[in-house]
Amino acid sequence: MYTEQGGEGPDLLLLLHGMGATGAVWSPMCADAGTRWKGRWLALDLPGHGGSGTQDSYAIGQHAASVARAVLPHLQPEGRLVVLGHSLGGVIGLALATGWFGLLPHRVFAAGIKIAWSDEEVRRMDSLALQPAKLFATEEEARERYLKVSGLAAVAGAPASVSARGIAHGDGGWRLAMDPRANAVGKPPLSELMTLARCPVHLARGGNDAMVTLEQTRSLDAEARDLGPHGHNVMVEAPAQVWDWMASFS
């Protein structure tokens, strides 16, 4: 599994990106980690994304198991594990909060989780998982597609670092680095995961996030935060807002 890391100390902040993206979306937050986080941080590319390998199943449990295996060697006995997940990464964080996968976080933060799923949306994702990777003639075309799929195209002035590892070149042209089969993640059992959580879990969303409303988010966490007038990728648009949200619980 492709990982990036930094910082010093026993505590570990695990950063989990959303579907279609890579761990590079955390680069704006990692740039401030030295002053905002007292410990180490670890940002990884989820299976089937970016520089990480593929796997046979992309169900939430399989994602959580793969992430746990990758993280365990980085844990220190005296340190705390804090998970910050975005969108799909947030759902994986909720799965880790159950303690079923060999580690138990001290606290989980999840931003921008899509909560309401229609049957048609689930069918469309399953259909995308069966299609071969689309090839593009140029790197620029592939990059534009990646930015759209990951929701980053809507972020004005996003640094180039956030799109790192989002595309790949192979025989026949350029493509997204994401394995199309990773779309088959299924409808996550969010209420059940919240009920089973064995550590504090905190939810939030950008105030302009078109994928989820504050009302929906508060159906799972009554104290869920609105992180201001930002979109789905709030950690790219307003990393300070996310740091402040996390700091309010420290």
Side-chain angles (χ1 to χ4, degrees):
M1 191 173 291
Y2 184 96
T3 63
E4 294 180 321
Q5 56 190 304
E8 296 180 346
D11 293 346
L12 180 66
L13 174 62
L14 173 62
L15 302 165
L16 302 176
H17 65 80
M19 182 178 291
T22 75
V25 296
W26 298 108
S27 58
M29 288 197 62
C30 293
D32 296 331
T35 57
R36 301 300 301 262
W37 171 252
K38 295 181 179 179
R40 295 168 294 128
W41 57 266
L42 179 69
L44 51 79
D45 289 355
L46 292 174
H49 291 73
S52 290
T54 61
Q55 58 187 33
D56 292 336
S57 170
Y58 294 98
I60 293 299
Q62 292 295 328
H63 270 303
S66 296
V67 168
R69 284 194 296 271
V71 172
L72 279 169
H74 295 272
L75 299 181
Q76 296 184 12
E78 69 277 19
R80 302 177 307 154
L81 170 64
V82 175
V83 179
L84 172 59
H86 173 248
S87 198
L88 170 62
V91 181
I92 297 169
L94 298 189
L96 294 174
T98 66
W100 291 355
F101 299 94
L103 54 80
L104 181 61
H106 174 77
R107 197 177 292 272
V108 170
F109 295 91
I113 291 179
K114 179 175 171 58
I115 293 171
W117 286 88
S118 69
D119 292 341
E120 176 57 31
E121 287 174 323
V122 175
R123 284 194 294 269
R124 184 163 64 247
M125 297 296 286
D126 289 342
S127 176
L128 288 172
L130 297 174
Q131 298 176 15
K134 183 176 180 179
L135 294 177
F136 299 89
T138 67
E139 179 180 2
E140 183 60 27
E141 288 177 295
R143 192 176 302 277
E144 288 180 2
R145 180 60 178 170
Y146 167 70
L147 293 174
K148 181 177 180 180
V149 167
S150 61
L152 293 167
V155 182
S161 58
V162 303
S163 61
R165 302 188 305 279
I167 60 175
H169 185 262
D171 295 338
W174 293 86
R175 61 174 178 82
L176 302 188
M178 175 185 174
D179 180 0
R181 297 178 301 154
N183 285 290
V185 70
K187 183 178 180 180
L190 298 174
S191 296
E192 291 84 348
L193 291 176
M194 290 292 291
T195 300
L196 292 166
R198 293 169 52 201
C199 69
V201 174
H202 310 288
L203 305 185
R205 44 95 63 181
N208 297 333
D209 191 339
M211 293 187 66
V212 61
T213 67
L214 184 60
E215 180 181 12
Q216 290 168 344
T217 307
R218 286 183 172 166
S219 71
L220 296 178
D221 174 11
E223 298 182 354
R225 301 281 182 86
D226 185 313
L227 298 179
H230 311 290
H232 186 58
N233 285 281
V234 62
M235 70 286 186
V236 177
E237 293 185 54
Q241 291 288 97
V242 181
W243 281 123
D244 288 347
W245 168 48
M246 296 173 62
S248 69
F249 292 97
S250 63

